[in-house]
Amino acid sequence: LPLIATVVALLVGAPGAWGGSAPAGARAGGVLALQPAAQGPTVIEADEIAYDAATNIVTARGRVRVTHPRFRVFADTVILDLQTQVVTAEGRVRLIDAQGRELRGARLVYHIDREEGTVTDAETILDQTYLRGSQVEVGRDRITVHQATVTTCDPARPLYRITARRVEVTPGEELVARD
């Protein structure tokens, strides 16, 4: 593996839940570790990482991996707004939440403080059930799939499938298809 530069910045105690600020205009390939006040660190790894002090936004591009105590995100591009605690990811997105559920899709908007997000053009497997839809909303206790296709068979060649305008899943409990 080629060697890449490493940038590590620990952010402690200042405005917002994230505290502090990163080095002004930090830009390099490698790693950026953010230390919010009450949680563990959030680590961003990418080919290129930039921090904009004026907007308090971290932008990472190229093989991005974000590791947070409550989730992991993999994507081509990730924008982390430190003020609003919103992660926006695009391009081959994978979200793995605190329960170990994995969602894949084209775009993700995830609210860290609420542990809620939306993945577009998404698919996931829950309780041996394959779910695919135009949009998947994920929360702590529920997943909602819009324009959904659901099956427990091999999704490439299912023996049956359910299609619905909306499917609500409470993992381990129930799946309700509507419309």
Side-chain angles (χ1 to χ4, degrees), residues 117-139:
T118 302
V119 182
T120 57
D121 297 326
E123 59 184 38
T124 188
I125 301 171
L126 289 174
D127 302 327
Q128 299 177 346
T129 302
Y130 297 89
L131 298 145
R132 183 174 290 162
S134 63
Q135 180 175 304
V136 175
E137 297 168 3
V138 61

Side-chain angles (χ1 to χ4, degrees), residues 139-161:
R140 289 182 186 124
D141 302 323
R142 179 173 295 240
I143 292 178
T144 303
V145 184
H146 299 274
Q147 304 304 322
T149 301
V150 179
T151 186
T152 56
C153 307
D154 175 3
R157 297 182 315 174
L159 295 173
Y160 76 92
R161 68 174 178 249

Side-chain angles (χ1 to χ4, degrees), residues 152-174:
T152 56
C153 307
D154 175 3
R157 297 182 315 174
L159 295 173
Y160 76 92
R161 68 174 178 249
I162 299 168
T163 58
R165 207 171 279 179
R166 186 175 80 201
V167 171
E168 297 169 357
V169 180
T170 304
E173 291 183 28
E174 70 176 354

Side-chain angles (χ1 to χ4, degrees), residues 43-168:
V43 179
I44 301 171
E45 300 172 76
D47 292 338
E48 177 184 314
I49 301 171
Y51 174 73
D52 184 333
T55 61
N56 212 15
I57 291 176
V58 176
T59 303
R61 290 186 176 86
R63 299 179 300 186
V64 182
R65 182 163 85 190
V66 178
T67 305
H68 182 277
R70 291 183 273 176
F71 65 88
R72 287 179 291 157
V73 172
F74 304 85
D76 294 333
T77 302
V78 171
I79 298 170
L80 172 57
D81 187 323
L82 300 174
Q83 203 65 33
T84 63
Q85 296 189 42
V86 173
V87 175
T88 304
E90 293 185 340
R92 298 180 297 174
V93 175
R94 286 178 43 217
L95 167 67
I96 302 170
D97 68 11
Q99 291 79 26
R101 300 178 296 200
E102 182 174 339
L103 284 95
R104 294 173 182 253
R107 185 172 195 273
L108 163 71
V109 176
Y110 191 80
H111 299 265
I112 297 170
D113 54 343
R114 298 191 320 238
E115 295 183 51
E116 297 176 346
T118 302
V119 182
T120 57
D121 297 326
E123 59 184 38
T124 188
I125 301 171
L126 289 174
D127 302 327
Q128 299 177 346
T129 302
Y130 297 89
L131 298 145
R132 183 174 290 162
S134 63
Q135 180 175 304
V136 175
E137 297 168 3
V138 61
R140 289 182 186 124
D141 302 323
R142 179 173 295 240
I143 292 178
T144 303
V145 184
H146 299 274
Q147 304 304 322
T149 301
V150 179
T151 186
T152 56
C153 307
D154 175 3
R157 297 182 315 174
L159 295 173
Y160 76 92
R161 68 174 178 249
I162 299 168
T163 58
R165 207 171 279 179
R166 186 175 80 201
V167 171
E168 297 169 357

